[in-house]
């Protein structure tokens, strides 16, 4: 790790000083160190040590704020626990902010005061990014996205080839030679985005969405230039880089003159583009942004697609991505879809906005140095799944899919991991059929 | 005005001025500009933040820690009561009869609660790691204030000690974590704004 210099300290403190606003000022001054947030954190539950209590993470950043910015902290630092930024502190902060927090925000509504702990951890990451202390593994993912337009470095040719064979499969599956995956079409209602893991490892989730769009008769397109919904710079806290990645997608949506951007099933991607993106760019979007979960729920509600729960009879449970549910307000929609698409849906406990993080959020999947911790925190999720007795775990997030897949193998859960689109595509009724009740026969 | 009352009154003025300074500084910093398109409404979410979101059945910090939570509630009620009594004493009104006995009993109870929270902080390793001197001092000063208020009601010869204790507490309040008196409300408000814009609070009904 690079030595801390005065210049670096100055850059880091700018986040707390020049970047100060009423929200940051409030949360930096609110924690009373009651420690009652401990049990709401997956890290503390997995490793019951003082350093993993969310309040300790709050104190790390607020103690630095007190030391350099407040009168009391400058005059009597010992009294209020004000700490200097030095090499030792940097090691501790980097380890706890990057390696012991997924910024899932579960501790926030449980905090006795209402301190936005995950927001302060993000601010801490922002400071570390300014000082050049982003873990290399995470930074390399960001660099790939900046250089190639997607975090997996997939070439345009490779992407188009994948889509072409998916298109052939789609035609075969829907038995319609006109079915297609439209590429770079201008003026469509929808531009659909992807998590680059989809073309690379999970192409069937693209097929699933293409099938649904086809059945719904949607006017949509994919861009071959910029389709990546993810933004790992949101995790690193480097707002300049996050802004550049956001701008790539913004420009492509404008270029293709799409009315609505539909974000792929990606928790952090939906947060980074929908909620943080306009603030990175410092402007409102001139187009609509919604998640694929919302559009699928709307299709079912409006009758644009029909689903038959009899097609999926296994027990299904749902994992809510933190960035989609707890900080994105989308958790009823996936339940609305699943209650209509599968026969036997069971909830985890806790669930919805109180759900436990799977352990893969906050960029943990990109930071291999914290793998051991990630799997240990994930054991809580594995136990949650096991208790439901479900055979299929659905989650509208490809990051979560990755983590749940690893948990499935490590803890021998014996489940299938699917996205919402895959479930809907499996239970969808072709356009020329209607859903039948128990005593009716299929009308073709 | 006797010197003890004068000291406590001066401390109160300094305390209020400092709290207003914190509050106006907060306003001066202003709201962060948010360019994202809201998914929900802020006003009902802020209301929710101050009401149902505080329901102990919904907060793990409450229902997983019932003894501490209960002690904390009694402790805070004791603080509000002590502040009310400070105002009464300042206006030269001292409760009497059964009312006085009930108050004394409650303040002794809240002192015990404050003390138990302090002891917990001292003996629990994880809490000790998290704590700085201000945490102990703040807890001690408030607990002592409850206790001395109760003792003063028992024996009014203790008024000089009472006013000194009140003055010290009021002078210390804006320095350390006791200033959460101001920031608690700001934090609940900010949380309501955040979750309200995102459509998280108040929780949506089934069928969205």
């Amino acid at each position: 790790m690079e030595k801390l210099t005065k210049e670096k300290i100055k850059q880091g403190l700018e986040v707390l000083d020049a970047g100060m606003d009423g929200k940051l000022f409030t949360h930096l001054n609110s924690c009373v160190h009651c420690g009652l947030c401990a049990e709401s954190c997956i890290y503390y539950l997995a490793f019951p040590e003082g350093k993993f209590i969310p309040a300790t993470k709050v104190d790390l950043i607020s103690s630095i704020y007190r030391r350099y910015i407040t009168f009391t902290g400058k005059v009597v630092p010992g009294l209020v626990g004000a700490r200097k930024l030095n090499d030792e502190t940097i090691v501790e902060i980097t380890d706890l902010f990057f390696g012991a927090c997924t910024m899932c925000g579960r501790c926030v509504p449980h905090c006795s005061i209402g301190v936005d702990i995950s927001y302060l951890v993000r601010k801490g990451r922002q400071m570390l990014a300014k000082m050049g202390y982003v873990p290399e593994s995470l930074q390399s993912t960001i660099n790939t996205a900046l250089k190639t337009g997607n975090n997996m470095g997939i070439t345009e040719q490779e992407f188009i080839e994948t889509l072409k064979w998916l298109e052939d499969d789609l035609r075969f599956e829907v038995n319609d030679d006109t079915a297609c995956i439209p590429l770079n079409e201008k003026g469509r209602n929808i531009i659909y985005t992807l998590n680059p893991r989809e073309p690379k490892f999970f192409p069937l989730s693209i097929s699933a969405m293409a099938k649904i769009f086809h059945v719904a008769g949607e006017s949509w397109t994919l861009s071959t230039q910029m389709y990546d919904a993810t933004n790992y710079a949101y995790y690193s806290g480097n707002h300049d880089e996050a802004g550049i990645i956001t701008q790539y997608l913004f420009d492509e949506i404008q270029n293709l003159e799409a009315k609505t951007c539909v974000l792929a099933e990606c928790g952090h991607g939906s947060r980074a583009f929908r909620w943080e993106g306009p603030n990175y760019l410092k402007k409102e979007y001139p187009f609509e942004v919604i998640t694929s979960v919302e559009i699928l729920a709307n299709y079912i509600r409006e009758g644009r697609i029909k689903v038959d729960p009899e097609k999926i009879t296994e027990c299904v449970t749902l994992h809510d991505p933190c960035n989609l549910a707890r900080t994105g307000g989308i958790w009823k929609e996936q339940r609305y879809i699943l209650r209509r698409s599968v026969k036997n849906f069971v909830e985890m406990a806790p669930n919805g906005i109180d759900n436990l993080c799977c352990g893969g959020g906050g960029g943990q999947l990109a930071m291999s140095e914290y793998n051991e911790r990630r799997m240990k925190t994930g054991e809580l999720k594995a136990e949650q799944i096991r208790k439901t007795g479900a055979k299929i775990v659905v989650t509208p997030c490809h990051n979560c899919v990755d983590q749940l897949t690893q948990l499935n193998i490590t803890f021998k859960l014996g489940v299938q991991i699917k996205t919402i689109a895959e479930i809907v595509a499996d239970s969808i009724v072709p356009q020329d059929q209607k859903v039948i009740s128990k005593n009716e026969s299929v009308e073709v | 005005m006797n010197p003890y009352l004068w000291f406590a009154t001066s401390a109160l003025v300094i305390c209020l001025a400092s709290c207003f300074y914190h509050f106006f500084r907060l306003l001066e910093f202003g709201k962060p500009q948010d360019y994202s398109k809201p998914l929900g409404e802020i006003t009902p979410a802020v209301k929710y933040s101050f009401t149902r979101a505080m329901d102990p059945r919904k907060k793990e910090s409450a229902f997983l820690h019932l003894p501490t939570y209960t002690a904390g509630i009694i402790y805070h009620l004791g603080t509000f009561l002590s502040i009310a009594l400070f105002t009464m004493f300042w206006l030269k009104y001292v409760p009497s009869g059964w009312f006085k006995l009930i108050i004394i009993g409650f303040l002794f109870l809240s002192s015990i609660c404050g003390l138990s929270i302090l002891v917990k902080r001292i003996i629990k390793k994880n809490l000790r790691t998290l704590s700085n001197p201000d945490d102990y001092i703040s807890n001690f000063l408030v607990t002592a204030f409850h206790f001395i208020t109760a003792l003063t009601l028992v024996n009014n010869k203790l008024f000089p000690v009472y006013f000194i204790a009140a003055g010290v507490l009021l002078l210390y309040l804006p320095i350390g974590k006791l200033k959460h008196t101001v920031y608690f409300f700001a934090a609940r408000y900010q949380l309501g704004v955040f979750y309200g814009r995102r459509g998280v609070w108040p929780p949506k009904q089934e069928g969205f």
Side-chain angles (χ1 to χ4, degrees), chain B residues 21-180:
Chain B
Y21 169 74
H22 280 284
F23 179 69
F24 285 115
R25 200 128 180 257
L26 193 58
L27 295 181
E28 193 187 342
F29 279 125
K31 288 181 192 170
Q33 179 83 46
D34 194 338
Y35 296 92
S36 62
K37 191 178 171 190
L39 193 60
E41 289 179 52
I42 288 173
T43 310
V46 170
K47 278 185 197 161
Y48 181 84
S49 178
F50 281 100
T51 52
R52 285 183 290 149
M54 301 285 288
D55 183 338
R57 290 169 299 181
K58 287 192 175 140
K59 291 172 88 78
E60 287 181 350
S61 54
F63 68 75
L64 291 179
H65 302 270
L66 270 181
T68 305
Y69 175 76
T70 312
I73 292 291
I74 295 171
Y75 184 49
H76 279 80
L77 289 174
T79 304
F80 300 138
L81 180 60
S82 301
I83 292 168
L85 285 165
F86 177 78
T87 316
M88 290 180 196
F89 294 163
W90 197 81
L91 295 169
K92 300 193 187 319
Y93 171 77
V94 179
S96 57
W98 284 105
F99 183 45
K100 178 174 150 180
L101 287 177
I102 291 168
I103 291 173
I104 291 170
F106 190 81
L107 285 176
F108 277 130
L109 177 65
S110 68
S111 307
I112 293 166
C113 290
L115 189 65
S116 66
I117 292 168
L118 183 61
V119 170
K120 185 184 172 190
R121 191 175 287 283
I122 293 166
I123 60 173
K124 288 257 181 181
K125 192 186 164 202
N126 283 348
L127 268 181
R128 252 191 347 259
T129 314
L130 180 62
S131 305
N132 57 49
D134 170 47
D135 293 309
Y136 300 101
I137 294 169
S138 299
N139 199 336
F140 172 76
L141 285 177
V142 176
T143 306
F145 183 54
H146 292 197
F147 189 65
I148 294 170
T149 306
L151 284 181
T152 307
L153 282 170
V154 173
N155 179 359
N156 61 14
K157 284 183 183 163
L158 290 173
F159 264 114
V161 179
Y162 169 81
F163 282 120
I164 289 172
V168 171
L169 173 64
L170 289 167
L171 287 176
Y172 189 76
L173 190 145
I175 296 172
K177 73 168 184 179
L178 293 178
K179 61 179 183 285
H180 75 267

Side-chain angles (χ1 to χ4, degrees), chain A residues 20-23 25-27 29-30 32-36 39-40 44 48-50 53 55-56 59 66 72 78-81 105-106 108-114 116 271 274-276 278-279 282-284 288 294 297-298 301 325-333 336 339 353-354, chain B residues 22 25-26 29-40 53-54 58-65 68-69 120-121 126-127 129-135 137 172 174-177 179-180 183-184 186-188 190-191 194-195 197-208:
Chain A
M20 184 65 83
D21 57 41
K23 182 178 177 180
F25 190 64
T26 295
H27 293 303
N29 282 292
S30 296
V32 293
H33 298 165
C34 68
L36 300 179
E39 285 82 1
S40 303
Y44 183 81
E49 298 167 37
I53 298 175
T56 306
D59 195 53
R66 288 194 291 269
T72 326
L79 174 70
V80 292
R106 188 168 187 277
V108 179
H110 289 295
C111 169
S112 53
I113 295 282
D116 194 338
R271 176 167 182 169
R274 182 183 202 164
W275 296 109
E276 312 298 343
N279 299 322
K282 299 199 184 318
K283 61 183 171 191
E284 290 174 16
E288 292 294 318
E294 289 164 278
N298 285 342
R301 192 173 49 180
R326 189 157 34 241
T327 60
I330 310 293
W331 82 93
K332 294 287 184 192
E333 288 81 350
Y336 180 87
R339 288 202 176 104
I353 54 173
D354 200 31
Chain B
H22 280 284
R25 200 128 180 257
L26 193 58
F29 279 125
K31 288 181 192 170
Q33 179 83 46
D34 194 338
Y35 296 92
S36 62
K37 191 178 171 190
L39 193 60
M54 301 285 288
K58 287 192 175 140
K59 291 172 88 78
E60 287 181 350
S61 54
F63 68 75
L64 291 179
H65 302 270
T68 305
Y69 175 76
K120 185 184 172 190
R121 191 175 287 283
N126 283 348
L127 268 181
T129 314
L130 180 62
S131 305
N132 57 49
D134 170 47
D135 293 309
I137 294 169
Y172 189 76
I175 296 172
K177 73 168 184 179
K179 61 179 183 285
H180 75 267
Y183 291 104
F184 167 79
R188 298 300 319 169
Q190 294 287 356
L191 218 53
F194 176 75
Y195 285 133
R197 276 188 73 87
R198 305 275 177 111
V200 180
W201 280 358
K204 285 174 280 191
Q205 297 305 306
E206 184 59 44
F208 65 96

Side-chain angles (χ1 to χ4, degrees), chain A residues 121-412:
Chain A
V121 171
R122 277 182 63 208
K123 283 286 170 189
R125 287 191 180 194
Q126 202 183 331
M127 281 178 72
L128 290 167
K130 285 262 184 194
M131 292 188 282
Y133 292 112
V134 174
E136 277 177 31
S137 48
L138 179 59
Q139 189 58 48
S140 72
T141 309
I142 298 163
N143 292 344
T144 306
L146 289 168
K147 195 175 162 190
T148 67
N150 70 82
N151 72 42
M152 305 220 89
I154 302 166
T155 63
E156 192 175 3
Q157 191 190 344
E158 196 185 337
F159 182 55
I160 292 172
E161 281 168 9
T162 304
L163 294 175
K164 284 298 162 199
W165 70 255
L166 287 174
E167 192 174 67
D168 290 341
D169 272 6
L170 175 69
R171 284 177 182 154
F172 178 76
E173 193 172 350
V174 298
N175 194 22
D176 182 350
D177 286 345
T178 64
C180 65
I181 298 177
L183 300 180
N184 306 319
E185 297 286 343
K186 284 199 174 191
R188 297 292 174 101
N189 280 338
I190 283 172
I191 178 169
Y192 184 59
T193 63
L194 302 170
N195 182 314
R197 279 186 171 86
E198 295 179 76
K200 195 81 175 173
F201 305 120
F202 305 103
L204 294 182
S205 67
I206 305 175
S207 306
M209 206 61 198
K211 182 180 171 184
I212 297 162
F213 281 142
H214 175 76
V215 175
E218 188 58 85
S219 153
W220 72 292
T221 189
L222 265 176
S223 161
T224 57
Q225 292 289 315
M226 180 61 202
Y227 52 84
D228 187 354
T230 72
N231 191 336
Y232 277 72
Y234 159 76
Y235 288 144
S236 75
N238 187 322
H239 285 200
D240 295 332
E241 291 176 347
I244 294 169
I245 294 169
T246 305
Q247 188 74 51
Y248 286 168
L249 187 53
F250 177 93
D251 288 344
E252 188 60 0
I253 297 165
Q254 292 284 80
N255 176 42
L256 292 179
E257 298 161 14
K259 294 183 185 72
T260 303
C261 169
V262 175
L263 296 165
E265 294 183 58
C266 178
H268 95 270
S270 64
R271 176 167 182 169
F273 192 72
R274 182 183 202 164
W275 296 109
E276 312 298 343
N279 299 322
Y280 293 142
L281 303 184
K282 299 199 184 318
K283 61 183 171 191
E284 290 174 16
Y285 292 154
F287 44 78
E288 292 294 318
V289 180
I290 62 168
T291 61
S292 55
V293 179
E294 289 164 278
I295 203 161
L296 292 177
N298 285 342
Y299 284 163
I300 294 173
R301 192 173 49 180
E302 291 162 5
R304 287 181 69 177
I305 60 170
K306 300 226 179 321
V307 282
D308 181 0
E310 295 295 329
K311 289 187 174 185
I312 301 172
T313 54
E314 296 104 318
C315 183
V316 175
T317 191
L318 170 70
H319 164 70
D320 286 287
C322 308
N323 280 314
L324 195 70
R326 189 157 34 241
T327 60
I330 310 293
W331 82 93
K332 294 287 184 192
E333 288 81 350
Q334 46 271 47
R335 284 162 177 78
Y336 180 87
I337 295 167
L338 289 177
R339 288 202 176 104
R340 282 152 186 82
S341 310
V342 305
K343 197 175 176 187
N344 185 8
F345 169 59
V346 290
E347 289 277 15
M348 291 183 193
N351 61 64
I353 54 173
D354 200 31
N355 197 20
L356 294 179
C357 175
C358 62
Q364 298 304 321
L365 279 156
M367 296 184 281
S368 51
E369 54 270 55
Y370 304 118
N371 273 353
E372 208 175 311
R373 268 190 206 162
R374 173 168 60 82
M375 293 311 286
K376 182 75 181 155
T377 55
E379 195 174 356
L380 298 160
K381 178 55 62 184
E383 277 312 304
Q384 260 194 306
I385 293 169
R386 208 190 299 277
K387 281 179 188 166
T388 63
K391 291 293 166 207
I392 299 175
V393 182
V394 179
T395 185
C397 172
H398 282 278
N399 242 7
C400 298
V401 165
D402 267 15
Q403 170 76 346
L404 294 175
T405 303
Q406 291 185 36
L407 296 178
N408 192 19
I409 296 164
T410 307
F411 299 106
K412 299 181 174 51

